[in-house]
Amino acid sequence: MSNTTPTRRLWREMNVFDGLHTLPEPMAVITDGARVASLVPMREFDEEIAEGCHDMGRGGVMTPGLVDCHTHLVFGGSRADEFEARLEGISYEEIARRGGGILSTVTATREASEDELLELARPRLEALIADGVTTVEIKSGYGLTVGDELKMLRVARRLGEALPVRVVTTLLGAHALPPEFKDESDGYIDLVCQEMVPAAASEGLADAVDVFCEKIAFSVAQCERVFEAAEAHGLPIKAHAEQLSNLGGTAMAARHGALSADHIEYLDEAGIAAMRKAGSVAVILPGAFHTLRETQQPPIAALREAGVPMAVATDANPGSSPLFMPTLMLNLACTLFRLTPQEALAGMTAHGATALGLKGEGRIREGAAADLCVWNVDTPAALAYAVQPGRLHQRLFQGELTHA
Ligand code: NIG
Ligand code: FE
């Protein structure tokens, strides 16, 4: 630890989106080391406040660092051929049934070493960082053996050490049925519950456990067994559910206190009620909807009406969402699903944090972490309005300036 006084930084005339709302008047924002020290309306600003502060400039939009709460950034190989096949009319499910899709990424990921996976994932994560991300969730799910799942999680942890970003890891062993367990899906779930979850937990490699509850993946009953194993090891849970059909996985996940249910295009009223009761976050993934050219809209109006918080994430992955630009997701969430720009931004800040079990984070307020972005745009809504790389002007991660 160094003994130097923490750096105080001052921004003036900021148009602040605080993680839930756009503040009604221009603000001065002061950070002290790794924390936000104060937020003062400009009309109350007094030059005394500026004393001892680094002047960080004036004007522009300030948001919390973006929280991308659902990604699959660690993988080997490419699925460009699958993209072309889907354009010719073969569905995502059909490709999966033929052994392609997720399983083709599994083959390439198993073949890659930990170091190779790290170098493949690094530029993907750098792209997210350059678009304002300060917290990112990274899932496993392309290993599907104990060793390969742990390898992916170790890569995710190493990415968090190598780059200025907080990485939250999720074990997604129940992502697809690996070929060795063909016609033995309960046997594979035994492996997930009896070996993968305990190993990931004891090595401290997973912050949560996820499942893919779908006809082409695992049943509600199988996913419930995985959740029971997670609970037994003290790990929070979340689910890919109701993406391609309505199986009721969300309601079951909510009964187990899921942090989030993700995708949820086919979610019904009972699922919404269960989420509301459990306080689960609805993670909206417009990138997958767009890429798979889906037509079933997630029930945004009903979620809003029920007061279920909605997060927005990239779902960055090689198949259903090869899109590595968080602010594009703000745009797609508005244009495809009619979220308001404010809702989309809250979805990638405060509610994204809640979906990761970091309730209260993804905010700008006194005492909050100094994970902040300053953008070269006129209003917070403009971040969702235009799709334009390079608008990030400054990025602070744990109080350190990483982009200026
Ligand atoms: O979130 N839905 C399942 N899993 C991923 C897709 C992974 C892939 O296609 O490689 C998703 O969309
Ligand atoms: Fe996903």
Side-chain angles (χ1 to χ4, degrees), residues 13 51 97 99 173 192 272 311 340 360 391 394:
E13 306 276 357
E51 223 161 277
R97 279 190 210 100
V192 172
I272 294 171
T340 66
R391 294 176 297 181
Q394 292 166 333

Side-chain angles (χ1 to χ4, degrees), residues 70 72 139 240 263 285 315 317:
H70 182 141
H72 308 248
K139 301 177 194 295
H240 287 71
H263 289 289
L285 302 171
D315 194 16
N317 76 68

Side-chain angles (χ1 to χ4, degrees), residues 47-63:
E47 276 308 322
E48 267 177 33
I49 302 174
E51 223 161 277
C53 289
H54 280 274
D55 189 345
M56 300 298 288
R58 72 175 70 219
V61 164
M62 180 182 277
T63 68

Side-chain angles (χ1 to χ4, degrees), residues 70 72 79 92 102 142 175 212 240 243 263 315 317 319-320:
H70 182 141
H72 308 248
R79 305 247 290 277
Y92 183 69
I102 292 173
Y142 295 123
H175 193 198
F212 186 16
H240 287 71
Q243 179 187 9
H263 289 289
D315 194 16
N317 76 68
S320 67

